[in-house]
Amino acid sequence: MAEADRETILPVILCGGSGTRLWPASRESMPKQFTPLVDPTTSTFQATIRRVADPAVFARPTVIASAESRFIVAEQLAQTGIAADILLEPERRDSAAAVAVAALHGARRGPETVVLVMAADHVIEDASAFARAAREAALGARLGQIMTLGITPTRPATEYGYIRTGGALPDAPGLFRVERFVEKPDAAGAERLIGEGALWNSGYFLFRADVMLAEMEAHAPEVLEAARAALANAITDLDFVRLEADAFARAPKTSIDYAVMERTARAGVLPVSFAWSDVGTWDAVWGVLERDAQGNALRGRVELIGTRNSLVHSEGEGLTTVVGLEDVVVVTTPDAVLVASKAQSGRVKDLVSVLREKAHPEADAHRRMYRPWGWYQRIDIGERFQVKRIMVTPGGRLSLQKHFHRAEHWVVVKGTAEVTVDERVVLVHENEAVYLPIGSMHRLTNPGKIPLELIEVQVGSYTGEDDIIRVEDVYGR
Protein backbone atom coordinates (compact mmCIF):
# COMPACT_ATOMS: atom_id res chain seq x y z
CA MET A 1 0.00 0.00 0.00
CA ALA A 2 1.28 3.46 -0.90
CA GLU A 3 2.12 5.88 1.92
CA ALA A 4 -0.76 8.19 0.94
CA ASP A 5 -3.20 5.26 1.03
CA ARG A 6 -1.96 4.26 4.49
CA GLU A 7 -2.80 7.70 5.83
CA THR A 8 -6.36 7.79 4.53
CA ILE A 9 -9.28 6.36 6.48
CA LEU A 10 -11.55 3.72 4.95
CA PRO A 11 -15.15 4.83 5.66
CA VAL A 12 -17.76 2.07 5.88
CA ILE A 13 -21.37 3.22 5.95
CA LEU A 14 -23.95 0.90 7.50
CA CYS A 15 -27.41 1.46 6.07
CA GLY A 16 -29.39 -1.68 6.76
CA GLY A 17 -31.89 -0.28 9.28
CA SER A 18 -35.63 0.09 8.67
CA GLY A 19 -36.33 3.30 10.64
CA THR A 20 -39.78 2.25 11.84
CA ARG A 21 -39.91 4.97 14.52
CA LEU A 22 -40.25 7.51 11.69
CA TRP A 23 -43.29 5.84 10.12
CA PRO A 24 -45.17 6.68 7.90
CA ALA A 25 -42.47 8.63 6.02
CA SER A 26 -39.95 5.83 6.68
CA ARG A 27 -40.99 2.26 5.94
CA GLU A 28 -39.36 -1.07 5.17
CA SER A 29 -39.62 -0.40 1.42
CA MET A 30 -37.92 3.04 1.75
CA PRO A 31 -36.17 3.45 5.13
CA LYS A 32 -35.38 6.82 6.70
CA GLN A 33 -31.74 6.89 5.58
CA PHE A 34 -32.88 7.15 1.96
CA THR A 35 -35.67 9.66 2.62
CA PRO A 36 -35.23 13.48 2.59
CA LEU A 37 -36.58 13.99 6.11
CA VAL A 38 -34.24 16.80 7.16
CA ASP A 39 -33.00 18.35 3.92
CA PRO A 40 -35.83 18.56 1.34
CA THR A 41 -33.55 17.44 -1.51
CA THR A 42 -30.96 15.18 0.15
CA SER A 43 -31.27 11.96 2.14
CA THR A 44 -29.16 11.40 5.25
CA PHE A 45 -27.38 8.60 3.36
CA GLN A 46 -26.36 11.06 0.66
CA ALA A 47 -25.28 13.61 3.27
CA THR A 48 -23.21 10.89 4.96
CA ILE A 49 -21.47 9.83 1.76
CA ARG A 50 -20.63 13.46 0.99
CA ARG A 51 -19.21 13.86 4.51
CA VAL A 52 -16.48 11.31 3.69
CA ALA A 53 -15.75 12.45 0.13
CA ASP A 54 -12.50 14.36 0.80
CA PRO A 55 -9.76 12.17 -0.77
CA ALA A 56 -7.14 13.84 1.40
CA VAL A 57 -8.76 12.27 4.47
CA PHE A 58 -10.86 9.34 3.28
CA ALA A 59 -10.36 6.42 0.92
CA ARG A 60 -13.07 5.24 -1.50
CA PRO A 61 -16.08 4.53 0.74
CA THR A 62 -17.78 1.19 1.26
CA VAL A 63 -21.51 0.78 1.83
CA ILE A 64 -23.01 -2.23 3.61
CA ALA A 65 -26.71 -2.44 2.82
CA SER A 66 -29.56 -4.91 2.62
CA ALA A 67 -29.98 -6.70 -0.70
CA GLU A 68 -33.49 -5.23 -1.01
CA SER A 69 -32.20 -1.65 -0.99
CA ARG A 70 -29.28 -2.18 -3.39
CA PHE A 71 -30.75 -0.22 -6.29
CA ILE A 72 -31.80 2.67 -4.05
CA VAL A 73 -28.19 2.83 -2.79
CA ALA A 74 -26.83 2.73 -6.34
CA GLU A 75 -29.23 5.42 -7.56
CA GLN A 76 -28.55 7.78 -4.65
CA LEU A 77 -24.79 7.30 -5.06
CA ALA A 78 -25.14 8.16 -8.74
CA GLN A 79 -26.99 11.34 -7.80
CA THR A 80 -24.06 12.41 -5.59
CA GLY A 81 -21.46 11.51 -8.22
CA ILE A 82 -19.47 9.55 -5.60
CA ALA A 83 -18.31 5.98 -6.33
CA ALA A 84 -18.37 3.34 -3.59
CA ASP A 85 -18.01 -0.38 -3.04
CA ILE A 86 -21.41 -1.88 -2.14
CA LEU A 87 -21.58 -5.04 0.00
CA LEU A 88 -25.01 -6.65 0.39
CA GLU A 89 -26.28 -8.37 3.52
CA PRO A 90 -28.67 -11.23 2.69
CA GLU A 91 -30.46 -10.63 6.00
CA ARG A 92 -30.18 -8.41 9.07
CA ARG A 93 -27.84 -9.77 11.74
CA ASP A 94 -27.31 -6.51 13.71
CA SER A 95 -24.15 -4.43 13.79
CA ALA A 96 -21.55 -6.96 15.02
CA ALA A 97 -21.68 -8.99 11.81
CA ALA A 98 -21.57 -5.83 9.70
CA VAL A 99 -18.52 -4.51 11.59
CA ALA A 100 -16.80 -7.89 11.19
CA VAL A 101 -17.36 -7.68 7.42
CA ALA A 102 -16.06 -4.09 7.46
CA ALA A 103 -12.88 -5.15 9.27
CA LEU A 104 -12.30 -8.09 6.92
CA HIS A 105 -12.93 -5.87 3.90
CA GLY A 106 -10.49 -3.29 5.26
CA ALA A 107 -7.85 -5.96 5.94
CA ARG A 108 -7.81 -6.78 2.23
CA ARG A 109 -6.50 -3.26 1.67
CA GLY A 110 -3.89 -3.84 4.37
CA PRO A 111 -3.98 -5.22 7.93
CA GLU A 112 -3.25 -1.81 9.47
CA THR A 113 -5.93 -0.01 7.45
CA VAL A 114 -7.87 2.38 9.67
CA VAL A 115 -11.58 1.70 9.23
CA LEU A 116 -14.30 4.17 10.18
CA VAL A 117 -17.71 2.54 10.74
CA MET A 118 -20.62 4.95 10.69
CA ALA A 119 -24.39 4.96 10.40
CA ALA A 120 -26.15 6.27 7.29
CA ASP A 121 -28.96 8.05 9.14
CA HIS A 122 -27.20 10.57 11.41
CA VAL A 123 -27.26 14.34 10.98
CA ILE A 124 -23.99 16.29 11.27
CA GLU A 125 -24.09 19.74 9.71
CA ASP A 126 -20.40 20.59 10.22
CA ALA A 127 -18.62 18.24 7.82
CA SER A 128 -15.25 19.91 8.42
CA ALA A 129 -15.47 19.35 12.18
CA PHE A 130 -16.36 15.71 11.54
CA ALA A 131 -13.35 15.22 9.24
CA ARG A 132 -11.06 16.81 11.85
CA ALA A 133 -12.46 14.49 14.52
CA ALA A 134 -11.94 11.45 12.29
CA ARG A 135 -8.28 12.42 11.75
CA GLU A 136 -7.73 12.93 15.48
CA ALA A 137 -9.41 9.66 16.45
CA ALA A 138 -7.44 7.83 13.75
CA LEU A 139 -4.27 8.59 15.73
CA GLY A 140 -5.61 6.49 18.60
CA ALA A 141 -6.69 3.78 16.17
CA ARG A 142 -3.18 3.59 14.70
CA LEU A 143 -1.86 3.13 18.25
CA GLY A 144 -4.06 0.04 18.62
CA GLN A 145 -7.20 1.44 20.25
CA ILE A 146 -10.77 0.95 19.06
CA MET A 147 -11.86 4.56 19.09
CA THR A 148 -15.34 6.01 19.30
CA LEU A 149 -16.57 9.59 19.06
CA GLY A 150 -18.18 10.76 22.30
CA ILE A 151 -20.64 13.61 21.80
CA THR A 152 -20.71 16.37 24.43
CA PRO A 153 -24.33 16.27 25.68
CA THR A 154 -26.59 19.27 25.20
CA ARG A 155 -29.46 17.86 27.29
CA PRO A 156 -30.15 14.89 29.60
CA ALA A 157 -31.17 12.55 26.77
CA THR A 158 -32.66 9.19 27.71
CA GLU A 159 -32.63 7.79 24.15
CA TYR A 160 -28.82 7.56 23.92
CA GLY A 161 -26.23 5.42 25.65
CA TYR A 162 -23.41 7.21 27.50
CA ILE A 163 -19.64 6.85 27.82
CA ARG A 164 -17.70 7.41 31.04
CA THR A 165 -14.20 8.57 30.16
CA GLY A 166 -11.10 7.23 31.85
CA GLY A 167 -7.49 8.35 31.81
CA ALA A 168 -5.72 10.02 28.90
CA LEU A 169 -4.20 7.82 26.21
CA PRO A 170 -0.40 8.11 26.13
CA ASP A 171 1.06 9.70 22.99
CA ALA A 172 -2.43 10.78 21.86
CA PRO A 173 -3.37 14.31 23.01
CA GLY A 174 -7.08 14.80 23.60
CA LEU A 175 -7.89 11.07 23.49
CA PHE A 176 -9.02 9.03 26.49
CA ARG A 177 -9.64 5.48 27.53
CA VAL A 178 -13.26 4.39 27.94
CA GLU A 179 -13.95 3.64 31.57
CA ARG A 180 -17.40 2.19 30.91
CA PHE A 181 -20.27 2.20 28.45
CA VAL A 182 -23.61 2.99 30.10
CA GLU A 183 -26.98 1.80 28.81
CA LYS A 184 -29.74 4.31 28.03
CA PRO A 185 -30.58 5.83 31.43
CA ASP A 186 -33.79 7.20 32.91
CA ALA A 187 -34.14 10.98 33.28
CA ALA A 188 -32.49 11.09 36.71
CA GLY A 189 -29.66 8.86 35.51
CA ALA A 190 -29.07 11.08 32.49
CA GLU A 191 -28.84 14.17 34.71
CA ARG A 192 -26.35 12.40 36.95
CA LEU A 193 -24.22 11.19 34.03
CA ILE A 194 -24.02 14.66 32.53
CA GLY A 195 -23.01 16.07 35.90
CA GLU A 196 -20.19 13.52 36.00
CA GLY A 197 -18.94 14.55 32.55
CA ALA A 198 -20.17 11.51 30.60
CA LEU A 199 -20.56 11.71 26.82
CA TRP A 200 -23.23 10.47 24.43
CA ASN A 201 -22.28 7.27 22.62
CA SER A 202 -22.48 8.19 18.91
CA GLY A 203 -21.96 4.67 17.59
CA TYR A 204 -19.01 5.74 15.38
CA PHE A 205 -15.99 3.46 15.58
CA LEU A 206 -12.44 3.84 14.21
CA PHE A 207 -10.02 0.93 14.39
CA ARG A 208 -7.17 -0.78 12.66
CA ALA A 209 -8.55 -3.76 10.75
CA ASP A 210 -6.16 -6.19 12.44
CA VAL A 211 -7.02 -4.89 15.92
CA MET A 212 -10.78 -5.32 15.45
CA LEU A 213 -10.29 -8.79 13.97
CA ALA A 214 -8.17 -9.81 16.96
CA GLU A 215 -10.76 -8.49 19.42
CA MET A 216 -13.58 -10.24 17.60
CA GLU A 217 -11.58 -13.46 17.60
CA ALA A 218 -11.28 -13.10 21.38
CA HIS A 219 -14.81 -11.95 22.20
CA ALA A 220 -17.11 -12.89 19.28
CA PRO A 221 -15.50 -15.75 17.33
CA GLU A 222 -18.81 -17.07 15.97
CA VAL A 223 -19.63 -13.68 14.47
CA LEU A 224 -16.17 -13.42 12.91
CA GLU A 225 -16.27 -16.96 11.49
CA ALA A 226 -19.63 -16.34 9.84
CA ALA A 227 -18.54 -12.98 8.41
CA ARG A 228 -15.27 -14.42 7.11
CA ALA A 229 -17.05 -17.26 5.29
CA ALA A 230 -19.74 -14.91 3.94
CA LEU A 231 -17.13 -12.57 2.46
CA ALA A 232 -14.85 -15.33 1.18
CA ASN A 233 -17.75 -16.93 -0.71
CA ALA A 234 -19.34 -13.68 -1.86
CA ILE A 235 -20.32 -13.28 -5.51
CA THR A 236 -20.26 -10.18 -7.69
CA ASP A 237 -23.65 -9.22 -9.14
CA LEU A 238 -23.59 -6.18 -11.43
CA ASP A 239 -21.99 -3.46 -9.27
CA PHE A 240 -22.70 -5.27 -5.99
CA VAL A 241 -20.92 -7.86 -3.85
CA ARG A 242 -23.42 -10.30 -2.35
CA LEU A 243 -22.31 -11.89 0.92
CA GLU A 244 -22.98 -15.63 0.95
CA ALA A 245 -26.37 -16.15 2.60
CA ASP A 246 -25.94 -19.43 4.49
CA ALA A 247 -22.66 -18.36 6.08
CA PHE A 248 -23.92 -14.91 7.02
CA ALA A 249 -27.03 -16.40 8.65
CA ARG A 250 -24.76 -18.27 11.09
CA ALA A 251 -23.66 -14.98 12.69
CA PRO A 252 -25.33 -14.48 16.10
CA LYS A 253 -27.66 -11.50 16.01
CA THR A 254 -25.93 -9.03 18.32
CA SER A 255 -24.61 -5.48 18.34
CA ILE A 256 -20.95 -4.51 18.19
CA ASP A 257 -21.42 -2.80 21.58
CA TYR A 258 -22.35 -6.08 23.29
CA ALA A 259 -20.05 -8.30 21.22
CA VAL A 260 -16.83 -6.29 21.55
CA MET A 261 -16.93 -2.73 22.89
CA GLU A 262 -18.22 -3.57 26.38
CA ARG A 263 -15.62 -6.36 26.71
CA THR A 264 -12.46 -5.03 25.12
CA ALA A 265 -9.65 -3.37 27.07
CA ARG A 266 -8.78 -1.33 23.98
CA ALA A 267 -11.75 1.07 23.90
CA GLY A 268 -10.86 4.73 23.50
CA VAL A 269 -12.89 7.89 23.02
CA LEU A 270 -12.45 11.32 21.48
CA PRO A 271 -14.82 13.93 23.00
CA VAL A 272 -16.37 16.11 20.28
CA SER A 273 -18.78 19.02 20.50
CA PHE A 274 -20.21 19.40 17.00
CA ALA A 275 -24.00 19.21 16.64
CA TRP A 276 -25.13 15.62 16.13
CA SER A 277 -28.40 13.70 16.05
CA ASP A 278 -29.37 10.17 15.10
CA VAL A 279 -32.86 11.52 14.17
CA GLY A 280 -34.28 8.35 15.67
CA THR A 281 -37.73 9.77 16.45
CA TRP A 282 -40.01 12.48 15.10
CA ASP A 283 -39.16 14.52 18.19
CA ALA A 284 -35.48 14.31 17.17
CA VAL A 285 -36.36 15.39 13.63
CA TRP A 286 -38.17 18.42 15.09
CA GLY A 287 -35.00 19.17 17.07
CA VAL A 288 -32.75 19.49 14.00
CA LEU A 289 -35.15 21.34 11.69
CA GLU A 290 -35.46 25.11 11.39
CA ARG A 291 -38.42 26.36 13.44
CA ASP A 292 -40.63 29.42 13.23
CA ALA A 293 -41.31 31.98 15.99
CA GLN A 294 -43.85 29.61 17.56
CA GLY A 295 -41.37 26.74 17.64
CA ASN A 296 -43.03 24.85 14.77
CA ALA A 297 -41.05 22.86 12.17
CA LEU A 298 -43.01 22.61 8.93
CA ARG A 299 -42.59 20.59 5.74
CA GLY A 300 -44.85 20.57 2.67
CA ARG A 301 -48.32 22.10 2.25
CA VAL A 302 -49.16 23.06 5.84
CA GLU A 303 -51.29 25.72 7.57
CA LEU A 304 -51.47 26.20 11.36
CA ILE A 305 -53.53 28.26 13.81
CA GLY A 306 -52.71 28.50 17.51
CA THR A 307 -50.15 25.68 17.35
CA ARG A 308 -46.79 25.70 19.12
CA ASN A 309 -43.60 23.63 19.39
CA SER A 310 -44.86 21.05 16.90
CA LEU A 311 -43.69 19.19 13.81
CA VAL A 312 -46.08 19.08 10.86
CA HIS A 313 -44.80 17.07 7.90
CA SER A 314 -46.99 16.83 4.80
CA GLU A 315 -46.05 14.77 1.73
CA GLY A 316 -47.71 14.91 -1.66
CA GLU A 317 -50.24 17.43 -2.90
CA GLY A 318 -52.61 17.28 0.08
CA LEU A 319 -52.98 20.18 2.50
CA THR A 320 -52.41 19.44 6.21
CA THR A 321 -53.95 21.81 8.76
CA VAL A 322 -53.56 21.92 12.56
CA VAL A 323 -55.49 24.05 15.04
CA GLY A 324 -54.80 24.70 18.73
CA LEU A 325 -52.28 21.97 19.53
CA GLU A 326 -48.92 22.04 21.31
CA ASP A 327 -45.95 19.66 21.36
CA VAL A 328 -47.40 17.29 18.75
CA VAL A 329 -46.20 15.48 15.65
CA VAL A 330 -48.48 15.36 12.61
CA VAL A 331 -47.25 13.44 9.57
CA THR A 332 -49.41 12.95 6.48
CA THR A 333 -48.53 10.89 3.41
CA PRO A 334 -50.80 9.97 0.51
CA ASP A 335 -51.87 6.74 2.22
CA ALA A 336 -51.38 7.22 5.99
CA VAL A 337 -51.60 9.82 8.78
CA LEU A 338 -49.77 9.89 12.10
CA VAL A 339 -50.73 12.12 15.04
CA ALA A 340 -48.69 11.76 18.23
CA SER A 341 -47.38 13.76 21.13
CA LYS A 342 -43.71 14.63 20.73
CA ALA A 343 -42.99 13.08 24.11
CA GLN A 344 -44.47 9.74 22.99
CA SER A 345 -43.12 9.76 19.42
CA GLY A 346 -40.69 6.96 20.27
CA ARG A 347 -43.68 4.61 20.55
CA VAL A 348 -44.32 4.79 16.80
CA LYS A 349 -42.19 1.65 16.51
CA ASP A 350 -44.73 -0.16 18.72
CA LEU A 351 -47.52 1.17 16.51
CA VAL A 352 -45.86 -0.30 13.42
CA SER A 353 -45.70 -3.68 15.16
CA VAL A 354 -49.47 -3.50 15.73
CA LEU A 355 -50.03 -2.56 12.08
CA ARG A 356 -48.00 -5.58 10.99
CA GLU A 357 -49.91 -7.89 13.31
CA LYS A 358 -53.14 -6.68 11.73
CA ALA A 359 -51.70 -7.06 8.22
CA HIS A 360 -52.02 -3.42 7.21
CA PRO A 361 -49.92 -3.13 4.03
CA GLU A 362 -49.09 0.48 4.93
CA ALA A 363 -46.90 -0.80 7.77
CA ASP A 364 -44.04 -1.55 5.37
CA ALA A 365 -45.02 -0.62 1.82
CA HIS A 366 -45.08 2.93 0.53
CA ARG A 367 -47.70 3.96 -1.96
CA ARG A 368 -44.76 4.66 -4.28
CA MET A 369 -42.60 1.55 -4.59
CA TYR A 370 -39.07 1.90 -5.94
CA ARG A 371 -37.60 -0.66 -8.30
CA PRO A 372 -34.22 -0.90 -10.07
CA TRP A 373 -35.83 0.40 -13.27
CA GLY A 374 -37.73 3.31 -11.64
CA TRP A 375 -40.93 3.26 -9.57
CA TYR A 376 -44.65 2.63 -9.60
CA GLN A 377 -47.41 4.23 -7.59
CA ARG A 378 -50.94 2.94 -7.04
CA ILE A 379 -53.62 5.41 -8.09
CA ASP A 380 -56.74 3.34 -7.45
CA ILE A 381 -57.75 -0.21 -6.60
CA GLY A 382 -61.06 -2.02 -6.44
CA GLU A 383 -62.72 -5.36 -7.09
CA ARG A 384 -61.13 -6.85 -10.23
CA PHE A 385 -59.05 -3.77 -11.13
CA GLN A 386 -56.02 -1.69 -10.16
CA VAL A 387 -54.59 1.50 -11.68
CA LYS A 388 -50.89 2.42 -11.40
CA ARG A 389 -48.64 5.22 -12.51
CA ILE A 390 -45.27 3.87 -13.70
CA MET A 391 -41.98 5.69 -14.31
CA VAL A 392 -39.09 3.94 -16.09
CA THR A 393 -35.67 5.62 -16.12
CA PRO A 394 -33.79 5.99 -19.43
CA GLY A 395 -32.37 2.57 -20.31
CA GLY A 396 -34.54 0.91 -17.64
CA ARG A 397 -36.08 -2.47 -18.43
CA LEU A 398 -38.74 -4.45 -16.59
CA SER A 399 -38.47 -8.22 -16.39
CA LEU A 400 -39.83 -10.47 -19.12
CA GLN A 401 -42.94 -11.73 -17.35
CA LYS A 402 -46.49 -13.01 -17.51
CA HIS A 403 -49.60 -13.07 -15.30
CA PHE A 404 -52.13 -15.82 -14.72
CA HIS A 405 -54.96 -13.71 -13.30
CA ARG A 406 -54.94 -10.31 -15.00
CA ALA A 407 -54.68 -8.49 -18.28
CA GLU A 408 -53.04 -5.07 -18.54
CA HIS A 409 -53.46 -1.91 -20.58
CA TRP A 410 -50.51 0.49 -20.86
CA VAL A 411 -51.09 4.11 -21.89
CA VAL A 412 -47.94 6.19 -22.49
CA VAL A 413 -48.18 9.77 -21.22
CA LYS A 414 -44.53 10.82 -21.58
CA GLY A 415 -41.61 9.42 -23.56
CA THR A 416 -41.50 6.33 -25.76
CA ALA A 417 -41.96 2.71 -24.66
CA GLU A 418 -40.51 -0.37 -26.30
CA VAL A 419 -43.03 -3.12 -25.55
CA THR A 420 -42.54 -6.84 -26.07
CA VAL A 421 -45.76 -8.89 -26.37
CA ASP A 422 -44.98 -12.55 -27.00
CA GLU A 423 -43.01 -12.52 -30.30
CA ARG A 424 -43.92 -8.94 -31.20
CA VAL A 425 -41.89 -5.80 -30.32
CA VAL A 426 -43.55 -2.41 -30.84
CA LEU A 427 -42.76 1.24 -30.05
CA VAL A 428 -45.56 3.00 -28.17
CA HIS A 429 -45.47 6.81 -28.19
CA GLU A 430 -47.22 9.47 -26.11
CA ASN A 431 -51.04 9.19 -26.12
CA GLU A 432 -50.83 5.65 -27.53
CA ALA A 433 -51.78 2.40 -25.79
CA VAL A 434 -51.01 -1.32 -25.92
CA TYR A 435 -53.03 -4.28 -24.60
CA LEU A 436 -51.41 -7.25 -22.80
CA PRO A 437 -53.75 -10.29 -22.63
CA ILE A 438 -53.77 -12.69 -19.66
CA GLY A 439 -50.88 -15.14 -19.99
CA SER A 440 -48.98 -13.15 -22.60
CA MET A 441 -45.21 -12.89 -22.25
CA HIS A 442 -44.39 -9.18 -22.04
CA ARG A 443 -41.69 -6.68 -21.19
CA LEU A 444 -41.40 -2.87 -21.00
CA THR A 445 -38.20 -0.96 -21.87
CA ASN A 446 -37.40 2.76 -22.00
CA PRO A 447 -35.11 3.20 -25.05
CA GLY A 448 -35.18 6.99 -24.85
CA LYS A 449 -33.21 9.76 -23.19
CA ILE A 450 -36.00 11.02 -20.90
CA PRO A 451 -38.03 9.25 -18.19
CA LEU A 452 -40.90 7.15 -19.53
CA GLU A 453 -44.25 7.61 -17.75
CA LEU A 454 -47.34 5.54 -18.34
CA ILE A 455 -50.62 4.56 -16.77
CA GLU A 456 -51.21 0.85 -16.22
CA VAL A 457 -54.74 -0.48 -15.86
CA GLN A 458 -54.94 -4.04 -14.54
CA VAL A 459 -58.18 -6.01 -14.93
CA GLY A 460 -58.69 -9.52 -13.61
CA SER A 461 -59.64 -11.77 -10.73
CA TYR A 462 -56.42 -10.99 -8.80
CA THR A 463 -54.06 -7.99 -9.06
CA GLY A 464 -51.49 -8.73 -6.32
CA GLU A 465 -47.77 -8.28 -6.86
CA ASP A 466 -47.18 -12.01 -6.40
CA ASP A 467 -48.99 -12.73 -9.70
CA ILE A 468 -45.75 -12.05 -11.57
CA ILE A 469 -43.90 -14.94 -13.22
CA ARG A 470 -40.45 -13.62 -14.15
CA VAL A 471 -38.81 -15.47 -17.02
CA GLU A 472 -35.82 -13.16 -17.49
CA ASP A 473 -34.59 -10.20 -15.46
CA VAL A 474 -31.49 -8.09 -16.09
CA TYR A 475 -31.44 -7.10 -12.39
CA GLY A 476 -31.15 -10.64 -11.04
CA ARG A 477 -34.37 -10.63 -9.04
Side-chain angles (χ1 to χ4, degrees):
M1 192 191 315
E3 185 66 30
D5 292 334
R6 267 197 297 269
E7 293 302 312
T8 58
I9 299 165
L10 174 62
V12 179
I13 300 171
L14 309 184
C15 53
S18 60
T20 52
R21 287 181 294 174
L22 292 177
W23 184 90
S26 171
R27 307 185 200 182
E28 189 78 27
S29 62
M30 191 66 161
K32 69 170 183 173
Q33 58 267 29
F34 304 120
T35 305
L37 290 174
V38 178
D39 185 296
T41 61
T42 303
S43 70
T44 56
F45 167 66
Q46 290 174 311
T48 300
I49 204 79
R50 287 174 175 145
R51 203 176 298 133
V52 294
D54 183 355
V57 182
F58 301 105
R60 174 187 169 105
T62 295
V63 178
I64 300 181
S66 68
E68 291 77 14
S69 64
R70 64 194 184 280
F71 293 108
I72 299 173
V73 169
E75 174 63 22
Q76 294 205 352
L77 282 172
Q79 291 170 5
T80 66
I82 299 171
D85 298 324
I86 306 174
L87 309 183
L88 301 179
E89 294 180 315
E91 61 179 270
R92 292 192 180 109
R93 302 308 295 168
D94 215 326
S95 60
V99 172
V101 169
L104 291 163
H105 177 69
R108 290 179 168 181
R109 186 170 174 258
E112 295 188 357
T113 295
V114 174
V115 180
L116 163 62
V117 173
M118 56 198 301
D121 55 359
H122 293 183
V123 173
I124 298 173
E125 296 293 343
D126 193 340
S128 296
F130 176 80
R132 287 195 301 272
R135 286 197 301 265
E136 292 175 29
L139 174 59
R142 292 188 177 97
L143 293 173
Q145 299 297 122
I146 301 177
M147 300 297 301
T148 187
L149 302 183
I151 311 294
T152 302
T154 56
R155 57 186 176 84
T158 58
E159 67 270 26
Y160 301 142
Y162 285 74
I163 298 171
R164 291 183 183 273
T165 58
L169 287 175
D171 303 318
L175 308 185
F176 300 87
R177 298 187 187 279
V178 171
E179 178 185 303
R180 188 163 68 91
F181 290 94
V182 182
E183 291 290 326
K184 298 174 183 177
D186 58 19
E191 292 275 10
R192 184 172 60 255
L193 285 164
I194 289 177
E196 295 169 352
L199 306 167
W200 286 341
N201 183 2
S202 68
Y204 290 84
F205 300 104
L206 292 95
F207 50 81
R208 270 192 359 223
D210 57 350
V211 171
M212 177 58 78
L213 294 176
E215 292 300 290
M216 295 204 82
E217 188 70 68
H219 302 293
E222 292 179 345
V223 174
L224 181 58
E225 182 278 328
R228 182 176 280 124
L231 188 59
N233 296 302
I235 60 171
T236 300
D237 175 12
L238 301 176
D239 294 329
F240 312 107
V241 175
R242 290 180 176 269
L243 300 173
E244 202 276 319
D246 290 340
F248 196 71
R250 294 198 297 269
K253 202 169 187 178
T254 185
S255 72
I256 189 64
D257 300 82
Y258 290 126
V260 173
M261 297 310 297
E262 294 182 2
R263 304 178 182 186
T264 182
R266 291 176 172 265
V269 60
L270 168 66
V272 296
S273 56
F274 51 70
W276 166 88
S277 174
D278 71 351
V279 287
T281 65
W282 283 114
D283 186 25
V285 173
W286 173 84
V288 299
L289 290 177
E290 183 178 346
R291 298 184 287 277
D292 63 19
Q294 287 72 45
N296 297 312
L298 311 178
R299 172 67 59 80
R301 293 192 65 211
V302 171
E303 293 294 340
L304 310 181
I305 293 177
T307 298
R308 296 173 54 81
N309 299 324
S310 296
L311 169 63
V312 185
H313 176 108
S314 180
E315 297 182 5
E317 298 178 358
L319 174 65
T320 300
T321 59
V322 180
V323 178
L325 296 181
E326 189 168 346
D327 294 317
V328 298
V329 171
V330 179
V331 182
T332 62
T333 67
D335 63 342
V337 177
L338 169 71
V339 180
S341 71
K342 277 166 49 190
Q344 294 290 313
S345 63
R347 298 184 62 191
V348 172
K349 185 175 183 178
D350 300 329
L351 170 66
V352 173
S353 296
V354 172
L355 298 179
R356 287 172 176 162
E357 289 172 4
K358 296 187 176 181
H360 289 288
E362 295 85 357
D364 293 307
H366 275 277
R367 191 179 182 193
R368 176 172 292 186
M369 297 293 291
Y370 289 85
R371 293 293 183 261
W373 42 260
W375 51 260
Y376 71 83
Q377 180 172 313
R378 190 177 73 227
I379 298 173
D380 197 5
I381 190 169
E383 187 176 354
R384 296 186 59 82
F385 81 91
Q386 182 171 197
V387 182
K388 292 180 178 178
R389 178 186 172 194
I390 297 175
M391 190 283 291
V392 184
T393 56
R397 169 176 284 196
L398 279 67
S399 61
L400 183 64
Q401 59 182 249
K402 63 180 179 179
H403 312 292
F404 289 132
H405 302 286
R406 68 177 186 252
E408 295 176 341
H409 302 258
W410 289 343
V411 181
V412 175
V413 296
K414 180 181 177 182
T416 298
E418 180 186 280
V419 180
T420 300
V421 186
D422 292 325
E423 302 302 321
R424 184 167 57 104
V425 179
V426 296
L427 290 178
V428 185
H429 303 283
E430 292 180 6
N431 203 31
E432 294 180 349
V434 63
Y435 172 62
L436 311 169
I438 291 178
S440 65
M441 198 72 69
H442 59 276
R443 163 176 272 163
L444 175 66
T445 301
N446 179 2
K449 303 296 185 184
I450 64 172
L452 165 66
E453 295 191 25
L454 64 146
I455 300 299
E456 177 182 88
V457 180
Q458 304 174 0
V459 180
S461 59
Y462 180 70
T463 61
E465 286 302 301
D466 52 351
D467 182 27
I468 298 178
I469 308 302
R470 289 191 177 93
V471 178
E472 181 182 305
D473 183 35
V474 298
Y475 304 110
R477 292 173 295 167

